[in-house]
Amino acid sequence: MSATTTYQLESASSSTMTTSSDPSSCLRVNSGMLQQFVGKTVLLPGKVLSISGMQATIQAADQGQVIVHLNQTVPPTAQFVEIRGTAEADGSVRMVEYKEWPDTVDMTLLNEMIRIQFPNSHLFQQA
């Protein structure tokens, strides 16, 4: 029997949403890597630049901007988030869920981690 990781999603109303998922089955990416994962589930960490209706503009770790199609009526309220969703052909991400991060994220360091992880992605995924 395989273990299941539970993400705790925080919303503005301070209630907690829970979704079962396996984050080890997807990779953290920056904006420049999205085209290589069209149709696949990715983790996109970044800074929320704006939210308009059901779309958010996220500044990814490599400073590129990504449109995220939100699926919830309660959008992220934190400055930094990690979006789990499907990479779309137009370079956007269709959100499945998000996790809010503290406001102390070092985007340069985060991008370096993503760049190091990428060529060795087989080491970060479950078999």
Side-chain angles (χ1 to χ4, degrees), residues 25 43 66-67 79 124:
S25 65
L43 296 171
V66 177
I67 298 296
Q79 181 178 9
F124 294 91

Side-chain angles (χ1 to χ4, degrees), residues 47-60:
K47 180 179 182 179
V48 178
L49 297 178
S50 66
I51 296 175
S52 178
M54 294 301 287
Q55 288 189 342
T57 302
I58 305 293
Q59 181 179 20

